[in-house]
Amino acid sequence: MTRVFSGVKPTGHLTLGNYLGAMRRWAAVDQHEAEALFCVVDLHALTVDHDPARVRRLSRQCATLLLAAGLDPELCTVFVQSHVDEHARLSYLLECVATDGEMRRMIQYKEKAAREQRRGGSVRLSLLTYPVLMAADILAYGADAVPVGDDQRQHVELARDIAVRFNQRYGHTFVVPRATRPEVAARVMNLQDPASKMGKSDDVGPGIVYLLDEPDVVRKKVMRAMTDSGREVVYDREARPGLANLLEILAACTGGEPERLSDAYESYGALKKDTAEAVVEVLRPLQRRHKELCADPGYVEGVLRDGAGRARGMARPTVDAAYRAIGLLPAVEEVAAAGSVPGV
């Protein structure tokens, strides 16, 4: 069976874009068709200035929302990255294979570093090297497929390059993964800035629909969405990005096609109203299940504890093999378990 790994970073409240672009597919498809691991990648939240209490709070909320979205711990593995030491163990080895040039070519590093510098802040080294940690997240589990949005494909390509390079230098150790992409609504855009994705790390604003927004709040945000000049409702991602974003959201919520949906509307107002109601209905069962899970925190803690144990069991053999391949002595307990004395 294909093994799939994907993660969500607890740097902000999860959005409609996270759900339509990734989480819904994880629940509906990936956990049924693959050996799937879904991770709250909390170590990645430390690459910029952060409030420790907020990271902990958002990590728990992310895990709870993954379960509320339909991930079933009987079908897949749900866990928190920092609960499995193999991620950090493997990351350093991969840093010894990756190059400085590769890191500095990462588009997200360039964007985030520029943003930090504009704010007058310093850029943490971890911001430069976190794509290697992301590669470790993937390679530790021998993942065949990594479902990602367009903005993350470069990172999966880096993981592929590092895996191939490691295998060539030190012997076959890692599965070379491939990126997979859902066909519809892979990238939901900001309602007020359709040139930018609806990111959870953005400042709170009317262009972002959060998964836990109340229905009236959702309606208000969608009704105030930026549209384009002209009156005709047409689907044209390049010339009419605002309308295209609304049509794609509506299509993702209703199972339609953006091009065909555009033919049914003669006004922006009617499109916005239907889109708002479609989003409210899509979020309703998720919000109801989230409320139930929050009332039973022990259940969520148990899922994460069991998930970390399963993930650790899957990752440790690969990471231990990488340590041996690259030239490191086995740990004393490894030697004792093997019942042999290593040569000198």
Side-chain angles (χ1 to χ4, degrees):
M1 179 178 287
T2 299
R3 182 173 287 180
V4 170
F5 176 93
S6 198
V8 60
K9 185 164 57 175
T11 50
H13 299 288
L14 296 183
T15 73
L16 180 66
N18 297 123
Y19 180 67
L20 295 180
M23 294 163 60
R24 186 170 64 170
R25 178 183 171 84
W26 296 349
V29 179
D30 293 328
Q31 69 173 343
H32 298 283
E33 297 184 355
E35 186 177 20
L37 299 101
F38 301 107
C39 181
V40 178
V41 287
D42 54 344
L43 295 176
H44 291 292
L46 311 184
T47 59
V48 295
D49 192 28
H50 62 276
D51 174 12
R54 185 171 186 265
V55 170
R56 285 191 291 270
R57 185 171 64 253
L58 289 175
S59 295
R60 177 180 291 276
Q61 185 185 86
C62 282
T64 305
L65 283 168
L66 288 177
L67 297 174
L71 294 187
D72 183 348
E74 296 297 322
L75 298 175
C76 65
T77 301
V78 181
F79 66 106
V80 175
Q81 180 188 35
S82 62
H83 294 176
V84 181
D85 293 343
E86 278 63 32
H87 292 256
R89 287 182 61 208
L90 182 56
S91 182
Y92 179 72
L93 293 196
L94 300 186
E95 285 187 10
C96 297
V97 177
T99 68
D100 176 75
E102 286 175 317
M103 297 301 99
R104 296 187 186 280
R105 286 195 295 271
M106 293 289 105
I107 294 172
Q108 288 206 358
Y109 169 72
K110 293 178 180 179
E111 293 176 348
K112 291 181 179 180
R115 191 182 308 136
E116 286 296 314
Q117 290 169 345
R118 285 196 298 271
R119 292 172 177 172
S122 57
V123 178
R124 300 185 182 193
L125 180 60
S126 57
L127 185 62
L128 177 66
T129 61
Y130 92 91
V132 178
L133 176 57
M134 185 179 293
D137 298 338
I138 298 167
L139 300 181
Y141 296 101
D144 304 279
V146 187
V148 292
D150 291 339
D151 58 325
Q152 294 293 333
R153 293 183 70 86
Q154 188 184 32
H155 290 145
V156 179
E157 290 302 316
L158 175 70
R160 288 174 56 85
D161 292 343
I162 291 175
V164 170
R165 191 177 307 149
F166 192 103
N167 290 346
Q168 289 174 341
R169 290 180 181 176
Y170 306 113
H172 184 78
T173 306
F174 298 117
V175 173
V176 180
R178 69 182 189 281
T180 60
R181 178 181 182 272
E183 294 182 2
V184 179
R187 198 176 190 190
V188 177
M189 312 306 283
N190 189 297
L191 294 175
Q192 292 297 321
D193 180 11
S196 302
K197 75 170 185 175
M198 190 181 287
K200 61 183 179 298
S201 301
D202 297 335
D203 295 333
V204 175
I208 308 166
V209 175
Y210 296 103
L211 296 185
L212 297 179
D213 277 347
E214 294 289 335
D216 285 346
V217 174
V218 173
R219 294 184 182 101
K220 183 179 294 185
K221 289 180 176 180
V222 176
M223 293 303 295
R224 294 180 177 177
M226 180 178 292
T227 51
D228 312 287
S229 59
R231 296 182 178 181
E232 186 181 4
V233 178
V234 295
Y235 179 71
D236 187 331
R237 171 49 82 180
E238 296 299 322
R240 311 286 287 278
L243 279 176
N245 190 35
L246 289 171
L247 287 164
E248 288 181 358
I249 292 172
L250 179 60
C253 290
T254 62
E257 297 179 3
E259 295 87 346
R260 292 187 177 182
L261 287 171
S262 65
D263 295 336
Y265 294 95
E266 296 182 356
S267 70
Y268 296 169
L271 171 62
K272 288 182 176 181
K273 183 177 179 180
D274 284 357
T275 302
E277 293 306 318
V279 172
V280 168
E281 290 306 312
V282 161
L283 296 183
R284 194 183 303 279
L286 180 147
Q287 293 179 351
R288 181 172 60 248
R289 180 58 178 154
H290 177 266
K291 186 176 181 179
E292 294 170 354
L293 290 169
C294 287
D296 187 9
Y299 173 77
V300 177
E301 291 172 2
V303 168
L304 295 179
R305 181 176 59 250
D306 294 345
R310 288 198 300 271
R312 196 176 299 116
M314 284 187 254
R316 183 163 293 171
T318 298
V319 177
D320 286 348
Y323 268 60
R324 292 191 297 270
I326 206 169
L328 300 177
L329 285 173
V332 174
E333 56 267 26
E334 279 188 70
V335 176
S340 61
V341 178
V344 295

